[in-house]
Each structure stands twice: as structure tokens, then as C-alpha cells.
Amino acid sequence: IGLDGKTFVEATYSIPQNEVQGFGTLRLDSLDKAGNMSSTSDSSIFIDTIHPVSPQLNGVPDLTPLTDLPFTVDSEHLSTLTLKDNGTVVALLPSVDVTTELLIPLTEGAHEFEAYSTDSAGNSSLSTWVSFIADHTTPTVNHLTLLGNELVSFDDNRSFSVVFSEQMNTTISPTINIRVGSGVLKSPSFEFVTSTLIEGELSFDVGDDGDSVFEISGGVDLAGNEMHGT
């Protein structure tokens, strides 16, 4: 570096990506115009140009009913972990362990987590992305249809259908009961036709007299929300 008569100069040295990693020595000496050589000045530096490994998010489902989501993140030891939810930073954790436990509050709707690590040298990893949906809404019955008129006589079977407000878990059958008159309890046969539609059949016996009440409960949507009795 030529000083050109100056007593102070700033210099920049770019370290290539493939530079040998680890501790190194920066050595500096100077030569004046008369040819006099200064003593050598050494400074130790640590070279780290390697990006951290991308973090891994564990336990994030595709669909969840939870308002606070617990999960773990595996990332480089002692790095700074950044987690964003739909572009907003929701966690900024310095000097993390290899595995970090997190509990993140969720609003209802679509979410996209982005996680990346930054080491002490300032190198950042590639981002890891996870998309999922938070569903906090309890399913309901949108429509109940009973074929035929409202007056049912003895041995008069009636078909019925139930339409739910959202897709249901068809492996979990809801409880359907008909309460007749003074409290006679009847359980009709039914099945899921689609994830939002149940069809079944009611049958009545001698002595089934009076107003009837249709009750359905225990249905569970795909996220795991259980419907209230209706």
C-alpha cells in the first residue's frame, strides 16, 4: 500500500469464500522514504466465511386447531435464530442450543414460517420455509333436511341429511339421537357421503308420539375442532 506521504491510511482486504478457516495472523510493517523498516505488528483474526446449516422445524403440522403452537427448531449451536411468521419476526434468539423449543401464538388462517441462522461472524444460512393453516373455528350444522312432511306415522321411515359448515374427519362418527315426545331416545343409522355431508334413515315404533328433537354432537373437523351439541 503506498502512503504517498500520508501518516494514516485505511485499507480493505476481502477474504475469499474458499479461504482457509480458523485463526490467522494479520502482519503489518512499513518502510519510510529513507529506507528505514519499522518493527512488525501482528494481529490475530479468526476467519469464518462458511454459512451455517439451515435450521429444521420439527412438529409443525399442515393443519392445527391450536392458538399457541409448540414445536422445536434444530439449528447451529450458538448461532442466532430468526423466525418469521408471514414476514414478521416473531422470535429472535441469540446463542441458541442445537435444539430450541418454541411456543408461537397463532391467528386463524394461513401461516408461512421462515427460519434462518446467523453465526457470530455474520454469516447467514439459507432459509427454511414451512406453510400451514390454523383453524380455530368450531364446526356447525349448516343444514338439516328431513324428507317428507312433518307428520310421521308408525313404521314410517324417513331419510335425512346433515350438511356441515366445513370438512369433517370422516373416521370419527358424530353422535346422532332423536328424542321423541316425553324422552324416548332413538339412534338412527347414517354414514358420511362426503366430508361435509351425512345421510341416514329414521324409523319410528308404536308409542313414539309427540314432538321430536334431532340432536347431533361429537363431530370433529379436519383440524381437530369438536363441534358442540346442536
Side-chain angles (χ1 to χ4, degrees):
I1 301 173
L3 297 181
D4 294 330
K6 299 177 182 178
T7 58
F8 176 80
V9 68
E10 291 183 350
T12 300
Y13 173 65
S14 296
I15 300 174
Q17 181 72 31
N18 60 353
E19 183 68 82
V20 176
Q21 306 294 296
F23 285 102
T25 300
L26 181 64
R27 179 162 292 172
L28 178 66
D29 52 37
S30 60
L31 180 69
D32 65 16
K33 290 185 177 181
N36 300 302
M37 179 67 71
S38 71
S39 58
T40 299
S41 174
D42 290 343
S43 296
S44 295
I45 61 172
F46 188 86
I47 298 175
D48 179 3
T49 61
I50 298 177
H51 297 288
V53 176
S54 298
Q56 298 299 314
L57 280 66
N58 309 306
V60 179
D62 295 329
L63 182 64
T64 179
L66 300 178
T67 55
D68 294 284
L69 181 65
F71 61 99
T72 63
V73 180
D74 293 337
S75 55
E76 186 169 305
H77 184 52
L78 298 182
S79 64
T80 295
L81 175 64
T82 302
L83 178 71
K84 295 181 179 181
D85 182 9
N86 291 339
T88 300
V89 175
V90 292
L92 183 61
L93 306 174
S95 301
V96 295
D97 293 328
V98 174
T99 300
T100 304
E101 294 182 356
L102 293 176
L103 183 66
I104 302 299
L106 299 177
T107 57
E108 184 160 22
H111 291 262
E112 185 175 59
F113 279 171
E114 177 192 4
Y116 59 89
S117 298
T118 305
D119 64 20
S120 57
N123 303 299
S124 291
S125 71
L126 296 176
S127 292
T128 298
W129 302 83
V130 176
S131 298
F132 64 98
I133 294 175
D135 177 4
H136 305 153
T137 302
T138 301
T140 59
V141 172
N142 269 0
H143 195 66
L144 169 64
T145 301
L146 179 66
L147 299 182
N149 59 42
E150 295 182 356
L151 182 62
V152 181
S153 61
F154 165 64
D155 202 24
D156 185 6
N157 294 346
R158 290 295 180 85
S159 297
F160 68 91
S161 64
V162 178
V163 178
F164 295 97
S165 59
E166 58 183 295
Q167 294 187 44
M168 304 294 284
N169 185 341
T170 58
T171 66
I172 301 177
S173 292
T175 299
I176 298 179
N177 291 316
I178 309 297
R179 294 188 181 274
V180 183
S182 61
V184 177
L185 187 65
K186 307 181 74 64
S187 298
S189 60
F190 63 90
E191 63 179 357
F192 276 102
V193 178
T194 69
S195 59
T196 59
L197 173 65
I198 278 179
E199 291 183 350
E201 186 172 271
L202 302 174
S203 61
F204 297 91
D205 301 316
V206 174
D208 293 340
D209 189 23
D211 292 334
S212 299
V213 177
F214 190 99
E215 298 177 345
I216 179 170
S217 62
V220 178
D221 68 16
L222 294 181
N225 300 295
E226 183 174 349
M227 68 177 297
H228 304 302
T230 185

